[in-house]
Amino acid sequence: MTVIVVMGVAGSCKTTVGRALAAALGVEYAEADEFHPQANIDKMSAGTPLTDADRAPWLAAIADWIREREHGVVTSSALKRRYRDVLRSGGDVWFAHLGGDRETLAARMRARTDHFMPVSLLDSQLADLEPLQPDEPGRVFDIARPPEDLVEAIRAATVDM
């Protein structure tokens, strides 16, 4: 099996799905937010979008985590192709892109009370999001489905890995 990167913009349930998927597969889980330097968290908390330069050390740290494992589950927004290229530099990965409409994403972000990312940054993430390309390993999953259904769909899609 490879490392599965559960990706998507804020509010797509990456953490919920990622944790449940790792538990279902019996593999290690890593939360991408824990790889951010404090300066990035402070910047996002203040409502300022991260730049590519801000994201570079964060992506490198996630790639290092991937490099140290044969399998596992990690979350990452992985918004741009070049970000996913960095993650792929760490090893064999497969992207489970959790996608959905803006209204659902915003509602989920407004409902959470324990996260630093404000709803005001959703539009910048959606603007930066580049869809998976045909040569990128992975698939898009609709966040309208319950998390447990998403976990099963991802497991089914990756059964031969």
Side-chain angles (χ1 to χ4, degrees):
M1 182 168 66
T2 61
V3 172
I4 298 171
V5 178
V6 179
M7 64 168 280
V9 300
S12 61
C13 285
K14 293 183 299 289
T15 299
T16 300
V17 171
R19 282 184 180 144
L21 180 62
L25 295 173
V27 298
E28 189 176 355
Y29 169 75
E31 169 59 47
D33 288 341
E34 295 176 10
F35 293 90
H36 274 298
Q38 188 61 45
N40 283 6
I41 293 171
D42 293 345
K43 194 171 186 178
M44 288 183 284
S45 296
T48 304
L50 296 179
T51 65
D52 287 352
D54 293 328
R55 287 187 176 105
W58 171 69
L59 291 164
I62 297 170
D64 287 343
W65 185 89
I66 292 167
R67 190 171 290 110
E68 296 168 1
R69 281 146 191 86
E70 289 183 32
H71 50 269
V73 174
V74 63
T75 58
S76 172
S77 54
L79 299 174
K80 297 179 181 182
R81 166 81 186 234
R82 67 179 162 260
Y83 301 168
R84 296 188 297 270
D85 290 346
V86 172
L87 298 179
R88 274 195 301 276
S89 77
D92 192 18
V93 300
W94 192 87
F95 296 98
H97 176 187
L98 304 181
D101 64 83
R102 187 196 183 288
E103 293 75 29
T104 301
L105 294 161
R108 289 181 177 181
M109 290 179 74
R110 281 191 293 274
R112 54 188 193 185
T113 59
D114 60 346
H115 200 276
F116 58 84
M117 179 75 102
V119 178
S120 63
L121 291 182
L122 178 58
D123 289 332
S124 69
Q125 286 205 326
L126 289 169
D128 281 349
L129 180 62
E130 297 173 357
L132 287 173
Q133 298 302 300
D135 65 327
E136 292 183 280
R139 193 172 125 201
V140 178
F141 298 87
D142 187 351
I143 64 166
R145 299 171 70 177
E148 57 273 9
D149 288 356
L150 290 169
V151 168
E152 288 310 311
I154 296 166
R155 286 182 68 184
T158 60
V159 72
D160 292 328
M161 294 188 339

